Amino acid sequence: MQKSTFRLFLILLVVLTIAFVAKANPAEYLNNPTFTGDITGWTVVYDVQGAGSIAYDGTYYHGGTAGSLKGVTGVAKGSVMQGYAWQSIGTEINLDDVVKLSLQWSKRSVVSTASGINILKAEITRPSLPDDWVEIWRCDESLPLVDGATAWTGPSELDVSDFFDETGSYKFRWYFDLKSGNNNSAQAIAWFDTTSLDVSAGVSLTCDFSTTTASFGELTTSVVSTAYGSTTINVISADTVFIKVQDDGDGVDPGLWKSSATTDLIGSANEASGNTATLEAGTEGYGMQATSTNEGSGAEFTIAVRYDYASTTNTVGGFEITDVTMASTTGAVTNRRVIMYYKAAINASNVMGSYSDTITYTCSMSE
């Protein structure tokens, strides 16, 4: 009987998802963020003032802080007020810091429903472009009903870190864009209160991969083969680590894929795409084994049950088209390592030719 032989290639796609988490207590970076007693620390500027104004309001405010920042148009039909209260942030922000925005806002229409969009915004300038304002938040575009202020609302600890992508000094402003309704006695009003810009130092994650390719060479029906080129991941992290694995397969099912005619898939972990399989010569299957080493320090890696098999055996864990957690820790690690081995077997029905697969590893600090 003629022996079937195959040349199989394995491509490992290394994807690092670096997550940042706050490890220190966050610090408030705005001066007088709750407008208690006045708006000291804020400079008011108008793009279009008309008869409107931006000022302290000691009569309408959120929570226990006595005071808010109030923007108001003139009393007139279609009166427009566009302006802002701004300040320079006194402490430098680093590009890997965690920055969270909190605020409460409210709107009101007087006599006639306000016109236009009546928008409230939070904006910053970056260190490299100190005159270019960038929007990091805006309220919804609803128009308040006549004479009834909307309930206080707003985001709490909204993560805006992506906007602070340079290290240096930033400016911050609260922006009013208001227009009164269609009545000579109409007026549009809006408020900011209970604001904050909390900043805390971020910690990073490093995952170094030993290789991005591996090869089975030629496979035959007489043996279970181990790929030339295992993968080692060396991890340094100041917090928990989760390593996930995802397989491309044929786009529908995981496995080693022969994309040229006649197409064929060597299933993972077996022909039926089972979670695990003990590979045997002459029986189709493909998968991975993972183990952690004693090197490094800190929390130890826990290998997922699916992949926790010794490389001296032929029992493997199957891949999935979607992410599956392969290894994780419960705390910080320094130079801890995980090693992955790849094994495959074929049967006489598998089509001769060249097979390949792409495996994606994702390394992150949150599950």
Side-chain angles (χ1 to χ4, degrees):
M1 182 177 69
Q2 185 177 3
K3 185 181 295 184
S4 298
T5 61
F6 302 79
R7 184 168 294 278
L8 305 180
F9 299 94
L10 181 61
I11 301 172
L12 309 179
L13 177 61
V14 176
V15 176
L16 298 184
T17 301
I18 306 300
F20 296 99
V21 297
K23 297 305 294 180
N25 291 328
E28 175 60 66
Y29 273 36
L30 295 180
N31 182 21
N32 190 19
T34 57
F35 315 108
T36 302
D38 53 35
I39 58 170
T40 298
W42 298 91
T43 299
V44 174
V45 177
Y46 297 99
D47 291 331
V48 178
Q49 182 177 9
S53 65
I54 298 172
Y56 170 74
D57 187 346
T59 62
Y60 183 64
Y61 49 86
H62 175 263
T65 61
S68 62
L69 180 68
K70 176 182 179 181
V72 59
T73 67
V75 178
K77 177 181 178 180
S79 178
V80 173
M81 193 283 288
Q82 295 173 332
Y84 53 93
W86 77 279
Q87 62 180 249
S88 293
I89 297 175
T91 304
E92 187 175 87
I93 296 177
N94 297 310
L95 62 85
D96 61 350
D97 283 345
V98 178
V99 185
K100 294 187 177 182
L101 177 71
S102 299
L103 65 113
Q104 292 288 306
W105 61 270
S106 178
K107 299 181 192 177
R108 181 185 176 192
S109 296
V110 178
V111 177
S112 175
T113 300
S115 305
I117 57 176
N118 278 251
I119 284 296
L120 305 177
K121 298 184 287 187
E123 298 181 322
I124 62 169
T125 66
R126 294 184 171 95
S128 62
L129 297 168
D131 297 321
D132 293 349
W133 290 97
V134 176
E135 180 182 310
I136 64 172
W137 170 87
R138 69 162 52 197
C139 72
D140 66 56
E141 299 183 4
S142 61
L143 297 176
L145 298 177
V146 175
D147 287 336
T150 62
W152 287 100
T153 187
S156 176
E157 296 188 344
L158 174 67
D159 193 331
V160 292
S161 305
D162 288 347
F163 294 100
F164 294 82
D165 54 4
E166 301 176 14
T167 295
S169 298
Y170 287 77
K171 297 176 187 176
F172 184 95
R173 74 181 183 185
W174 298 113
Y175 196 93
F176 297 87
D177 184 356
L178 306 177
K179 185 177 181 180
S180 64
N182 190 26
N183 186 288
N184 289 335
S185 298
Q187 193 175 36
I189 309 173
W191 296 265
F192 286 105
D193 198 11
T194 322
T195 73
S196 70
L197 191 71
D198 287 335
V199 181
S200 51
V203 293
S204 64
L205 164 68
T206 301
C207 291
D208 293 324
F209 288 72
S210 63
T211 183
T212 57
T213 60
S215 174
F216 283 105
E218 290 187 352
L219 295 189
T220 73
T221 55
S222 61
V223 295
V224 174
S225 295
T226 301
Y228 301 104
S230 60
T231 305
T232 300
I233 307 177
N234 188 80
V235 182
I236 301 173
S237 173
D239 209 327
T240 56
V241 180
F242 297 86
I243 301 175
K244 296 183 179 182
V245 61
Q246 177 268 328
D247 185 75
D248 279 5
D250 64 359
V252 177
D253 294 307
L256 285 160
W257 173 234
K258 181 179 180 294
S259 58
S260 59
T262 301
T263 61
D264 189 28
L265 180 74
I266 299 173
S268 180
N270 53 27
E271 190 171 1
S273 298
N275 289 344
T276 62
T278 299
L279 303 183
E280 298 178 1
T283 301
E284 177 183 325
Y286 159 60
M288 182 178 74
Q289 301 160 333
T291 185
S292 59
T293 71
N294 293 324
E295 298 169 277
S297 60
E300 295 183 356
F301 271 104
T302 298
I303 306 299
V305 173
R306 175 186 291 216
Y307 300 111
D308 191 14
Y309 297 103
S311 61
T312 54
T313 73
N314 287 329
T315 302
V316 297
F319 296 110
E320 298 289 349
I321 291 294
T322 56
D323 284 336
V324 175
T325 298
M326 182 267 291
S328 62
T329 73
T330 58
V333 299
T334 301
N335 293 321
R336 289 291 193 192
R337 294 184 177 181
V338 178
I339 304 175
M340 291 79 74
Y341 302 91
Y342 313 100
K343 294 191 175 184
I346 59 172
N347 62 31
S349 298
N350 290 124
V351 180
M352 294 183 64
S354 180
Y355 290 66
S356 65
D357 189 22
T358 299
I359 299 171
T360 300
Y361 290 100
T362 302
C363 195
S364 66
M365 297 173 72
S366 60
E367 191 169 17

